[in-house]
Amino acid sequence: MRKVLLPSLIIIATSLLVMRIFYLQIVDDTLKLKSENNAIKKKYEYPERGYMYDRKGKLLVANQASYDIMVIPREVKKTDTLEFCQLLKITKEDFIKKIEKAKVYSPRLPSVFLSQLNKSEFAAFQEKIRKYEGFYFQKRSLRDYEVDFGANIFGFITQVNEKLVAKNPYYNSGDLIGRQGVEESYEDLLRGVKGVKYIQKDKYNREIGSYKDGKYDTIAVQGEDINLTIDAEIQKYGEELMINKRGGIVAIEPSTGEILALVTAPSYDPGILVGRQRSKNYTELYRDSIAKPLYDRGLLAEYPPGSPFKILTGLVALQEGVIDANTTVFCNRGFSYARGRFMGCHCHGGALQLHRGIFESCNSYFATAYMKTINKYSKPAQAVDIWSKHMKSFGLGQFMGYDLPTGKKGNVPDSKTYKRIYPNGGWRSTTIVSNSIGQGEVLMTPIQLANMMATIANEGHYYTPHIIKKIEGHKIDEKFTTKHVTTIDKKHFKPIISGLFDVYNLGTARSLRVEGIDICGKTGTAENFAKIGGVRVKMEDHSIFVAFAPKDNPKIAIAVMVENGGYGATIAGPIASLMIEKYLRQKITRVDLEKRILATSLQSRYAKLGGLSEAVKLQLRISDSLLKKKTTIPTVKVKTDTTKSNKQAI
């Protein structure tokens, strides 16, 4: 038996090997496409990228034809370099540099010599392409932006780098790929599928026809069209309101988590990143370290939330049972606490309950509520961890999971935070009471603030914010339809919402009312410091406003952050009211607010941080009509911070 076993195994293995070789060489000859690579040329057909539409079906991003000049270095023969360069408007030095770069990539394989020629440039060169051996055209599809806003949402397309080509077999040198925004998040769907044609060449390297009558050719498949959740009208309106300002606006539909507007300021026209000037324009934007137009403040900027955070302070105190709607706190326009520090308050004074505490934004009330929450437990570390858990149930202090490729977590402190800050211990509720009014160690992004208000509007639950509404033939990711429930009981939201409603009727936003729309909102003013010449300088505060409307069956939740904007009801508040009315009514009745905001420029304040960059001067899209309305903002006195006192977070 043993004598038979070994010969049998050898015979079986040999038979399998011979059969496999026969199959590969005789039956399946696809490998010949690789083995005969010198005699077979691949020609790629690039599909159109998928179109982008807004939530109402308005076309936002389409495509336009573009042409790349490709080069195969070893096939380049005697070339009239002078004529070649004149046709393409490049220098001889550029020509030599591009040829050498192509040789480094591969002498045998095609690479991009000059990209993104428009139709007129292509037509001029096409007539003489036959004179330049080794060069040919590759037709591609570039973006054609139907709007001049939303650059931070769309992202852009650019050529792949060699590292990605080596990593991902789909891409070849010169291919385009989505970067930032929706282009990056949904690249696999938007890019489509390339088509391939195999061309037979003779021994003189001349094309003689299709290989095997096109047996292995494939056709290009266009990318998928997608509908975004964005409302184009309020996106455009939000960007107009933010001209000559810096900050972010995020609007969300509470019932679905769909992002209605995602504004960052300053912004730029997405069309400047298309064509042969795209690299120069991108470099200018990228190098602008002053205004950072490529920095999406709605997703990336982390700010102290200021008084809007009092909403959560009140909810946690209600949940923990340390206050109820009738709990009274006495405010004497100042709340003293341990270590000789002082938390200032503003004009109301007297005895306050929760409702008045909200619409008058009383620091004393919420500082008391916060300390009662922390003091409920014998160990401050345990208490702050419980408080932190409540905060995180609103999506704070963590990446939110939305379908855009960039973001920041913000910060919700816990016991580990204070162990690092106070390694010797000794901290207690009075030490960290600034958290109660959205200062201290608390940081939030505008999208987190907007999601917080969507959660309040829903009385305790939210859906992960997202930018995709519909992709034909594909299901939306289930995580965007999954309800997230907070740790706060639903019953505690009603008194909070009642207080937010009277912010517009009796409180800090009563001058921002819109007749016929019941808006619930909260003003905020957050301290702001900057280093100028190595000195920590107190700058104009950030202006913050959060809101949702209508009060019953809310359709929109919004957060507005204006850097160095001052008091929350001065700039951020009017913007929120205008955005809400624009979305709900598609028109504006508060023309007085609109004129004031459109005419407001904060550039004199930003000049204190280093002036205006040339890129911002070039790229800010300010129409003549808006310029005529512009008013000059008085110079703001800059004071050096000499105390550690807590400012009113109104």
Side-chain angles (χ1 to χ4, degrees), residues 72-360:
I72 303 175
R74 78 166 191 162
E75 296 180 10
V76 175
K77 307 300 180 185
K78 292 181 180 180
T79 300
D80 185 341
T81 308
L82 181 61
E83 182 188 50
F84 187 95
C85 293
Q86 286 176 343
L87 278 171
L88 295 176
K89 299 177 182 178
I90 61 174
T91 65
K92 185 175 180 179
E93 290 73 20
D94 286 336
F95 178 89
I96 295 171
K97 188 185 298 183
K98 291 176 183 295
I99 290 292
E100 291 302 317
K101 183 179 179 181
K103 287 179 180 177
V104 170
Y105 172 70
S106 173
R108 296 171 175 270
L109 297 176
S111 59
V112 175
F113 179 84
L114 195 63
S115 64
Q116 300 189 14
L117 276 69
N118 58 34
K119 289 182 179 179
S120 61
E121 292 169 329
F122 167 68
F125 193 73
Q126 185 184 29
E127 296 178 4
K128 300 188 178 182
I129 187 71
R130 66 186 185 282
K131 295 172 60 176
Y132 307 117
E133 292 185 55
F135 293 92
Y136 69 93
F137 282 111
Q138 176 69 69
K139 185 178 179 180
R140 299 186 194 274
S141 175
L142 292 184
R143 282 314 201 183
D144 184 17
Y145 294 98
E146 307 300 308
V147 296
D148 62 355
F149 55 84
N152 61 309
I153 297 171
F154 306 141
F156 54 91
I157 57 174
T158 187
Q159 286 185 15
V160 295
N161 55 40
E162 293 180 14
K163 185 178 179 181
L164 183 59
V165 171
K167 182 179 178 182
N168 191 329
Y170 177 85
Y171 297 102
N172 299 308
S173 177
D175 283 3
L176 301 175
I177 189 172
R179 292 295 187 203
Q180 300 184 10
V182 175
E183 296 281 18
E184 181 172 334
S185 293
Y186 291 95
E187 163 69 9
D188 290 351
L189 292 172
L190 288 170
R191 72 186 182 192
V193 180
K194 287 184 290 190
V196 184
K197 289 185 177 180
Y198 296 94
I199 308 298
Q200 184 78 47
K201 297 186 292 184
D202 64 15
K203 64 180 181 179
Y204 299 107
N205 205 37
R206 295 175 301 193
E207 296 182 7
I208 58 175
S210 178
Y211 176 73
K212 292 239 175 178
D213 295 324
K215 177 181 178 181
Y216 299 106
D217 294 352
T218 60
I219 61 172
V221 179
Q222 183 175 343
E224 302 286 354
D225 295 343
I226 61 177
N227 285 76
L228 305 182
T229 60
I230 294 297
D231 183 298
E233 290 302 313
I234 67 164
Q235 177 70 29
K236 178 182 179 181
Y237 189 55
E239 292 193 21
E240 290 173 351
L241 294 174
M242 289 295 287
I243 287 175
N244 282 326
K245 308 168 189 68
R246 295 181 192 170
I249 304 172
V250 182
I252 294 174
E253 184 178 64
S255 61
T256 62
E258 293 178 356
I259 299 172
L260 303 173
L262 180 60
V263 175
T264 184
S267 187
Y268 60 93
D269 184 341
I272 68 172
L273 296 186
V274 177
R276 290 178 64 180
Q277 295 300 310
R278 75 199 183 289
S279 181
K280 177 186 175 183
N281 292 336
Y282 180 82
T283 299
E284 288 184 348
L285 295 172
Y286 180 78
R287 289 179 177 174
D288 183 358
S289 60
I290 298 173
K292 302 179 181 179
L294 292 175
Y295 180 73
D296 193 332
R297 286 168 164 85
L299 303 178
L300 292 170
E302 298 170 300
Y303 304 96
S307 285
F309 198 75
K310 293 173 182 175
I311 301 169
L312 300 186
T313 298
L315 283 169
V316 173
L318 289 169
Q319 181 67 29
E320 290 295 316
V322 296
I323 66 167
D324 59 32
N326 298 314
T327 299
T328 300
V329 172
F330 183 78
C331 175
N332 60 357
R333 300 184 187 179
F335 181 84
S336 298
Y337 58 92
R339 301 191 178 185
R341 295 195 237 171
F342 184 82
M343 178 175 286
C345 207
H346 25 287
C347 60
H348 40 259
L352 296 91
Q353 296 177 329
L354 177 63
H355 186 77
R356 185 182 168 201
I358 294 172
F359 74 72
E360 290 196 348

Side-chain angles (χ1 to χ4, degrees), residues 416-452:
K416 293 179 182 178
T417 305
Y418 295 112
K419 188 175 182 180
R420 288 194 300 270
I421 298 174
Y422 303 100
N424 298 321
W427 61 275
R428 53 185 61 85
S429 63
T430 54
T431 315
I432 61 175
V433 71
S434 292
N435 291 336
S436 65
I437 58 171
Q439 299 283 171
E441 286 69 50
V442 178
L443 294 173
M444 292 173 66
T445 60
I447 194 170
Q448 288 176 326
L449 276 166
N451 190 62
M452 177 192 80

